[in-house]
Structure formats: structure tokens, C-alpha cells
Amino acid sequence: MRQQLIKIFPELNLITNEDLREKTIAVWQEAIEQGGWKVSDLERIPFTLLISDCPVNMIDHTRGVTQVAIEAAKKLREFNNNIYQIDDDILISGGLLHDVGKILEYKNTPAGIKKSDTGKLLRHPFSGAGLAMKHGLPDKVIHTIAVHAKEGDGGYRCPEAVIVHHADFMNFEPIKNGV
Ligand SMILES: [Fe+2]
């Protein structure tokens, strides 16, 4: 499964710290196994259930958010006068894992992919953070997963989490709003 994950998420290879890269892979692997999915299912799993017949799958959404975050970080670093630092490894791991909990939030049914019983109680920021904590990801990655969505509004977000949060909504709102 490791090689399949690297193939669908080539951004994993951009994580320079090998330990962080392997832990990021391990979290995806466990989510897929725990949810009873296969890696290939990610192609048909919509990135959100809030858009009916969602045209974007989990792979493209996850990659889109991660790549927008990487590009945004380059420009922020160029113009932020070194006021704060952005750790690319944290950013990329956080981008790749921000929605991993959705694999547990959803379930496969004959009528399509629906919210799971777990998902009704624990939205993906909670289940994703729990998985990441179990695998020993750095606190900043766990934090980025935990606060990337509405649950994080009104509280502190570290710079990497701010970037992933906005990259996520850039990859969500125009699709939700229709074209
Ligand atoms: Fe997302």
C-alpha cells in the first residue's frame, strides 16, 4: 500500500524528513484500513458530501490543497520580512493529512457514500488528529489537521495551519458555489 500511496500522492516525496514522510504515509494507510477501503477507492470518494455529485475526488482535493499551500508559502516567505517562519515539511504533511479523517467520516453503502456513525460524532478534524497523534506526528501537524476547518475558527492557528485552512477553502468554495 505504501507504494500505491506514494503514486497517488507524489507530494509525499517533497517531505524531506524521512521519519515525517513515513509517519504521514502510515496515517493514510491506517485510515484506509480502519475504514475498510482500498487505495483505489480514493478515486471515487468525493472530497465533500456537502456538494451533491461532487466532481472532485479525495486525491485531487488533497493534492490541490497541498500544492496551493506550497505555492502560497513561497510567496508569503518572499514578502513577510521574516516575521514568521514556515516549515515546508509540516505544511506538506499537514496538507496531505488535513482530510484523512474523512475516510473514517464516510462509509460505503448501496446508496452511495454516506456519513458513517463515527462521522456523525467525530468530524474529520477530530478523527484525523486522533490518527495522527497515534502515529506520533509532530504537534504542529496534528494541530493543522485539528484546526483546518470550522472547528478551528476563533482559535489560534500556527502559520502552516493558516495556509492549509485557506488553501482548503480555495479548493472548496468555488466548487460549492457552482460555476
Ligand atoms: Fe479539505
Side-chain angles (χ1 to χ4, degrees), residues 4-6 19 26 31 55 61 67 82 99 117 125 130 140 145 167 177:
Q4 282 176 290
L5 285 167
I6 291 171
D19 182 57
H61 174 74
Q67 295 224 14
N82 263 329
D99 274 349
D117 291 340
K140 274 196 173 180
I145 299 167
N177 295 341

Side-chain angles (χ1 to χ4, degrees), residues 47 61 65 98-99 102 124 148 168:
F47 83 92
H61 174 74
V65 169
H98 82 282
D99 274 349
K102 285 190 175 172
H124 62 280
H148 80 272
D168 188 28

